[in-house]
Amino acid sequence: GDSVTQMEGPVTLSEEAFLTINCTYTATGYPSLFWYVQYPGEGLQLLLKATKADDKGSNKGFEATYRKETTSFHLEKGSVQVSDSAVYFCALSDRNSGSARQLTFGSGTQLTVLP
Amino acid sequence: GAVVSQHPSRVICKSGTSVKIECRSLDFQATTMFWYRQFPKKSLMLMATSNEGSKATYEQGVEKDKFLINHASLTLSTLTVTSAHPEDSSFYICSATKNEQFFGPGTRLTVL
């Protein structure tokens, strides 16, 4: 079945440091890939996505490139801020359920950015 | 737009009682809602897919008689944990679909 493996946390960085959170996946088809972010006390929010190989998703300074050859979708940001502190989930969507596609999530990575 | 709410945010109950969790899409209609369960330091596990007006589709290993799902309208789905036991203690998250999945803030269930 489909699965997502992401870097275990927690990750603690100083402000303006470079961030990488690794994510690899296994899927039977051609999945779409996502990064979600969960701020304390809030629901998951879509951060960025990519729907096919070599696509790059980007948002709020975060980027991730869909690498089919390495089955990876690593999240990067060049200069993190304290406000980026949150839990980050990598996910893929490969199966359909009616009109909606189901998501398979990684275990989440807690990021703490110190001032 | 695309806000999903859950109620309650936290609930503590005694073993053997039933608990109902509501998931509402506040500003859009969602034909499909998903229910997830999240264990500490674990990923979100899909429990079931809830389609408005039809029976929910449960993932393998999820007891449908234990976790009752009702999706009576395009803006409301409910998850009832029946005869709850301490092992049912977890964080339950719903999502509603409108081109993409929008997630609720989750419900922390503690069964004593």
Side-chain angles (χ1 to χ4, degrees):
Chain A
D2 297 343
S3 68
V4 176
T5 302
Q6 69 179 96
M7 174 178 169
E8 286 204 19
V11 174
T12 303
L13 296 172
S14 297
E15 205 164 24
E16 299 184 3
F18 184 85
L19 168 71
T20 300
I21 301 178
N22 290 338
C23 172
T24 57
Y25 68 90
T26 58
T28 53
Y30 298 93
S32 296
L33 302 174
F34 306 82
W35 277 100
Y36 284 85
V37 59
Q38 185 176 30
Y39 298 103
E42 299 183 16
L44 276 71
Q45 301 173 26
L46 178 64
L47 180 60
L48 54 85
K49 68 179 181 182
T51 58
K52 61 183 188 296
D54 298 327
D55 269 2
K56 178 187 284 188
S58 61
N59 185 24
K60 299 180 181 180
F62 291 90
E63 293 183 339
T65 301
Y66 190 143
R67 301 283 188 201
K68 188 166 181 280
E69 63 276 14
T70 54
T71 61
S72 65
F73 193 54
H74 304 322
L75 181 68
E76 296 182 338
K77 186 174 185 181
S79 176
V80 293
Q81 305 300 312
V82 172
S83 57
D84 294 327
S85 298
V87 180
Y88 292 82
F89 292 91
C90 185
L92 69 81
S93 176
D94 195 24
R95 290 186 294 156
N96 283 311
S97 176
S99 62
R101 303 190 76 182
Q102 296 180 357
L103 290 167
T104 300
F105 285 90
S107 57
T109 302
Q110 171 76 57
L111 170 66
T112 301
V113 180
L114 303 175
Chain B
V3 178
V4 177
S5 70
Q6 278 184 243
H7 178 78
S9 57
R10 290 180 179 270
V11 57
I12 301 173
C13 69
K14 293 182 178 179
S15 188
T17 60
S18 294
V19 174
K20 180 185 285 188
I21 302 170
E22 293 185 348
C23 177
R24 292 181 185 273
S25 54
L26 298 184
D27 50 1
F28 67 101
Q29 294 183 328
T31 53
T32 302
M33 292 184 174
F34 295 98
W35 285 96
Y36 297 86
R37 182 172 178 177
Q38 185 178 27
F39 295 96
K41 299 184 179 180
K42 299 286 186 182
S43 63
L44 278 72
M45 180 193 78
L46 179 64
M47 298 175 66
T49 303
S50 171
N51 291 300
E52 187 265 340
S54 63
K55 290 184 179 180
T57 302
Y58 290 82
E59 295 299 299
Q60 191 173 7
V62 178
E63 299 175 59
K64 62 180 181 181
D65 295 329
K66 173 77 171 172
F67 299 99
L68 299 178
I69 291 172
N70 184 280
H71 194 159
S73 77
L74 289 172
T75 59
L76 173 64
S77 176
T78 60
L79 168 68
T80 301
V81 183
T82 62
S83 187
H85 291 283
E87 58 265 29
D88 299 324
S89 297
S90 194
F91 194 58
Y92 293 88
I93 301 174
C94 73
S95 71
T97 56
K98 179 188 177 188
N99 299 321
E100 66 181 69
Q101 288 191 37
F102 295 92
F103 289 83
T107 297
R108 172 75 60 192
L109 170 63
T110 303
V111 184
L112 302 177

